[in-house]
Amino acid sequence: MKTYTNLWTQFISKENFEIAYFNARRGKNYQKSVREFADNWEEKLEEIRQSVINGKFHTSPYTQKVIYEPKERIIYKLPFNPDRIVQHAIMNVLKPILLTKFMDNSFACIEGRGQLKASLKCSEYVRKYNYCLKCDIRKFYPSINQNILSERLHKLIKDERFMKILDDVIFSFEGGYNCPIGNYCSQWFGNYYLTVLDNYVLHELKPSGYERYCDDFLLFSNDKKFLHDCRKKIETFLADKLELQYSKANVFHVKQGVDFCGYRHFGKYVLIRKTTATRLKKRFKNIHKALERGNYDKEFIQGQVASANGLMAHACSGNLRKSIGYDEIVRVLNSV
């Protein structure tokens, strides 16, 4: 296995921290902490960089927020200054390394391989194969074993100073488990944590089709019994190697439709999942209210509208566009 050394100099460079700052603030200019940091940002950024160099940086205490869509879960928040900036600086260095470890059919948090790409791959498999094994992992991020994650990264990265800052983030949540949802690093750590599952499925089980979006993954085959056997073997592998367990693991005919990444996939068409459509309706209702008040962040709303358009463009969604008033909102934004 290739290992990586001499990452520290790249990590603590002024250029890296400047890139990290601008990436961390992208789309978040409406936040008070981001606006406050923008005043004299160069001096403040240098203070953060020096605290990292001098070994004084430590991950801040988390604040918690409960969200209920798409399901109830706890989001852990860290301050913009210094944590979110430092985590972006970390990922500027770590991301190119981790990308070499992800298989082609691994999606989520990878540029060019997001939700829509995962959905297109699913549609491809639905047209080719008769049966699907659909799995997701129970409380995935809270169940990640921090020691396992750290040990795997230590085998990959042979730079003690850089790994010290990585371990500070990995072990920032007490108890030995959890990769807190909300951390910028967490989505990458979680995706990397499951690459051993990808390798096991692809090289040992060898299904006709396989893809994974974070902790949701699909196996396809024309042999139903084969998929049932895979379900049992993967259950054992997850428990033994990663200390994880299924939340759901079902084998079914693709004619039922494969619910994945916000869509229901059928042989000849794709529908937006009902819960996804409900969220879009709620989001656009709030956008209509904001536009009526005249007090809104145009950049933020444009991002939400663009995201919704990307979702709907991929599915049969003409009626949904009308019901949420999509065209009306686009006209208002274009006139401002």
Side-chain angles (χ1 to χ4, degrees):
M1 179 178 69
K2 181 180 179 180
T3 59
Y4 296 83
T5 59
N6 302 320
L7 302 178
W8 180 254
T9 301
Q10 178 187 351
F11 167 60
I12 54 92
S13 69
K14 286 187 176 182
E15 180 183 9
N16 184 42
F17 271 76
E18 286 186 5
I19 294 171
Y21 164 60
F22 287 109
N23 286 343
R25 66 173 288 175
R26 184 178 298 138
K28 295 180 173 61
N29 292 325
Y30 62 93
Q31 295 181 359
K32 182 181 178 181
S33 59
V34 177
R35 295 198 306 269
E36 289 177 346
F37 193 91
D39 296 331
N40 200 20
W41 66 268
E42 290 159 304
E43 181 178 330
K44 294 174 183 176
L45 189 63
E46 182 61 16
E47 289 177 0
I48 295 174
R49 193 175 76 91
Q50 289 300 325
S51 73
V52 172
I53 293 172
N54 297 329
K56 296 180 179 179
F57 168 81
H58 295 288
T59 302
S60 303
Y62 290 96
T63 57
Q64 297 182 13
K65 176 183 177 182
V66 180
I67 64 171
Y68 299 94
E69 294 181 358
K71 58 185 178 182
E72 183 176 345
R73 54 183 175 170
I74 300 174
I75 301 297
Y76 297 90
K77 300 176 66 176
L78 290 171
F80 177 78
N81 173 19
D83 297 86
R84 278 155 53 187
I85 294 172
V86 171
Q87 289 200 14
H88 273 270
I90 290 171
M91 291 313 306
N92 287 344
V93 176
L94 186 60
K95 191 186 303 182
I97 297 172
L98 296 186
L99 284 173
T100 65
K101 305 302 175 183
F102 298 146
M103 65 159 200
D104 292 341
N105 286 2
S106 171
F107 301 90
C109 78
I110 303 172
E111 186 175 354
R113 282 193 266 163
Q115 185 175 355
L116 296 183
K117 287 286 187 178
S119 177
L120 288 170
K121 177 58 68 172
C122 182
S123 292
E124 177 186 329
Y125 286 144
V126 167
R127 290 191 295 268
K128 292 174 66 174
Y129 305 110
N130 292 329
Y131 296 100
C132 175
L133 166 60
K134 182 177 185 292
C135 308
D136 64 54
I137 296 171
R138 181 178 180 274
K139 296 183 179 180
F140 172 57
Y141 284 101
S143 300
I144 289 177
N145 183 305
Q146 295 166 355
N147 284 318
I148 293 176
L149 175 60
S150 176
E151 287 170 7
R152 289 185 56 206
L153 286 169
H154 272 276
K155 290 179 181 178
L156 182 64
I157 297 169
K158 302 300 182 182
D159 185 317
E160 290 186 8
R161 287 181 295 180
F162 186 65
M163 277 308 307
K164 184 177 180 180
I165 201 80
L166 270 184
D167 279 338
D168 186 271
V169 176
I170 292 170
F171 294 102
S172 59
F173 196 94
E174 295 181 358
Y177 293 85
N178 207 342
C179 197
I181 301 173
N183 269 0
Y184 177 56
C185 291
S186 290
Q187 56 185 325
W188 289 91
F189 288 163
N191 208 354
Y192 177 65
Y193 195 76
L194 288 179
T195 53
V196 290
L197 170 66
D198 299 334
N199 289 323
Y200 172 70
V201 172
L202 288 172
H203 301 302
E204 299 294 330
L205 302 182
K206 300 180 181 179
S208 300
Y210 173 70
E211 67 174 317
R212 179 174 61 80
Y213 189 93
C214 193
D215 61 315
D216 295 335
F217 54 98
L218 308 173
L219 283 72
F220 290 87
S221 176
N222 289 325
D223 186 338
K224 189 175 182 180
K225 183 179 181 300
F226 168 76
L227 291 180
H228 278 291
D229 291 339
C230 288
R231 181 182 60 80
K232 295 176 183 177
K233 291 176 180 178
I234 292 172
E235 183 176 26
T236 300
F237 180 87
L238 288 172
D240 292 347
K241 300 296 183 181
L242 298 173
E243 298 188 14
L244 300 172
Q245 56 183 297
Y246 286 139
S247 170
K248 297 176 183 176
N250 300 314
V251 177
F252 56 91
H253 200 289
V254 296
K255 287 183 179 179
Q256 298 178 24
V258 179
D259 192 333
F260 189 61
C261 286
Y263 298 98
R264 293 178 64 208
H265 302 82
F266 298 87
K268 295 184 179 180
Y269 59 93
V270 175
L271 299 177
I272 289 181
R273 183 190 295 160
K274 290 183 179 179
T275 54
T276 304
T278 300
R279 289 201 302 275
L280 285 177
K281 290 177 182 178
K282 183 177 180 180
R283 180 194 302 177
F284 273 74
K285 184 178 180 180
N286 291 333
I287 290 175
H288 280 291
K289 290 180 179 178
L291 293 176
E292 289 173 1
R293 291 194 303 267
N295 182 22
Y296 59 89
D297 185 310
K298 183 179 179 181
E299 181 183 351
F300 176 73
I301 289 181
Q302 284 178 326
Q304 289 197 317
V305 170
S307 173
N309 183 54
L311 283 170
M312 294 186 292
H314 180 58
C316 302
S317 58
N319 291 333
L320 178 60
R321 283 178 179 271
K322 292 179 182 179
S323 68
I324 65 177
Y326 175 85
D327 292 337
E328 178 187 346
I329 287 177
V330 171
R331 283 196 299 271
V332 172
L333 290 174
N334 289 339
S335 66
V336 176

